[in-house]
Structure formats: C-alpha cells, structure tokens
Amino acid sequence: MRLLLVEDEEGFAEALCASLKMEHYITDWAKNGEEGLSQGLSNIYDAIILDIMLPGLNGLTVLQKLREQGIHTPVLLLTAKSGLDDKITGLDLGADDYLTKPFHREELYARLRALTRRHSTTSLQELSCGDLYMIQGSNELCCKTNGSHLPLNGKEYQLMEYLLRNAGQIISREQIIEKIWGYDTNTEYNNVEVYISFLRKKLLYLKSEVSIQTIRKLGYMLKKT
C-alpha cells in the first residue's frame, strides 16, 4: 500500500515514515503544501496523511484543490488539539477522517486500515478486462475462456493490478514508475519494460484475448484484441 505524507516538521515526518515502513507501508513524503498537491494529483496513492498546519499552501487548501480536480483518494487530516473549526471545515471539504496531534501510532494504523476498507468495494473485488481477471488480494492471474491461471510475484501483481484498473487507457512509463516504485527511486525505464515483458509472456501462456499494447512514445495500454 502506497501512502503520501504531507508534513513540514522534518523530524516528525522522518520518524513517521520509518514507523510506517515497519508496518509495510510504502510512504512518499511531501515537505510542503505545494509538493503535496503536485504528488496527490498523480492519483497513485491508496491514502494521504495531510497535516493542516503547513506553510504557504495549507492542508485545507490542498484538500480542496484535490477534490476539485476529481481526486478521491482517502485523506486523513492531522489537526491541532484545539482545531475544532479546522476539523469541521476539513470534513466538509471532503476529508475522510482526522487525527489530533499528538497521537498514538497504533491509532493511526487502525484509522488507515479503516479508511482503505471503506474505499475498497469489497476485499474480494474482481478486476477484469475481456476474458482476463484477477481477484484483488490474490496473486493469481486468470483467464475465463479456458480456466487457466498463473501466479504473479509482487511487482508483477502491482503492475497488473494497475493495468487492469486502467484498462483501455494509456499509462506512461513515468506513471508506472511512480505507482510501483515511488517518486524517490533510481528505477530506470528498462525495469518497466522487463516487467511488461514478464506479463506479456504470462498472457500468452494463458491464451487470453487481452494484450498489453505499446503506444509509441506514450506508454502502454491493456485491451482486448
């Protein structure tokens, strides 16, 4: 699960990112509201932890702009103890939950779990395109036409899930890198091509009617052929 933390207090943010990593969350850190808005608009995150008290572009403004741009990523606001008005305003602007500083990290983890549960249609959601489908949370890729199935490893699963969620749309290599490997990565385009090749071979093995097409100079598209 990939999170975006928007927080200007460096020591607090670094400690929180390290703690979230121990809970197996992949966390990108934006140090101010402008960075947070830019990264949030990429729409690659499963949830956003957004501090209200930010220099320049504050958290409420970031939230408002995200919602205006059609970004429905779950947002957990971090508020000051006395910030009742901010809490009310944040919820009215589209925040999903809030947490008052200081807080116990176990409560943060519980709230994140609740947010992602509420924003998942079902824990067994089926993602599909043509005769190809995958049960969310499963590591198997399946073909309805002949009943064949194959296991996927971690990165293969993440990439196929991303492709299935955006079937019929062009996804650039940059978007794939940001979603699967994160912003702060040295991953090269070759790595994307390698995993696309792995998935193509599995689609051939499954004898699926679905393929991953290369759209020259733009990216990739999963579609029924």
Side-chain angles (χ1 to χ4, degrees), residues 2 28 176-178 180-188 191:
R2 182 171 296 280
D28 294 330
I176 291 173
I177 288 174
E178 290 174 2
I180 309 303
W181 284 274
Y183 280 94
D184 298 325
T185 179
N186 295 320
T187 297
E188 298 179 354
N191 286 3

Side-chain angles (χ1 to χ4, degrees), residues 12-36:
F12 172 78
E14 289 178 345
L16 186 54
C17 285
S19 179
L20 287 165
K21 183 176 181 180
M22 293 179 65
E23 296 294 315
H24 308 294
Y25 291 104
I26 301 169
T27 308
D28 294 330
W29 171 31
K31 300 179 181 180
N32 55 57
E34 287 78 6
E35 286 184 17

Side-chain angles (χ1 to χ4, degrees), residues 1-113:
M1 182 177 296
R2 182 171 296 280
L3 306 177
L4 174 62
L5 171 65
V6 188
E7 171 61 62
D8 66 312
E9 295 181 33
E10 186 171 345
F12 172 78
E14 289 178 345
L16 186 54
C17 285
S19 179
L20 287 165
K21 183 176 181 180
M22 293 179 65
E23 296 294 315
H24 308 294
Y25 291 104
I26 301 169
T27 308
D28 294 330
W29 171 31
K31 300 179 181 180
N32 55 57
E34 287 78 6
E35 286 184 17
L37 177 60
S38 176
Q39 291 180 226
L41 287 172
S42 68
N43 204 22
I44 65 172
Y45 296 102
D46 298 294
I48 298 173
I49 304 171
L50 177 60
D51 190 20
I52 289 181
M53 300 298 292
L54 296 168
L57 203 63
N58 67 41
L60 294 176
T61 304
V62 171
L63 172 62
Q64 182 178 20
K65 290 181 178 295
L66 287 173
R67 295 304 188 232
E68 288 174 349
Q69 292 297 315
I71 302 300
H72 302 295
T73 306
V75 172
L76 173 66
L77 290 177
L78 300 182
T79 73
K81 189 173 184 179
S82 59
L84 177 60
D85 290 342
D86 284 342
K87 295 172 187 175
I88 294 171
T89 302
L91 292 171
D92 286 342
L93 287 173
D96 298 87
D97 199 357
Y98 65 85
L99 193 56
T100 301
K101 289 181 174 179
F103 53 83
H104 292 288
R105 289 180 184 172
E106 289 76 11
E107 182 179 2
L108 171 64
Y109 305 149
R111 289 181 181 272
L112 286 173
R113 291 193 295 270

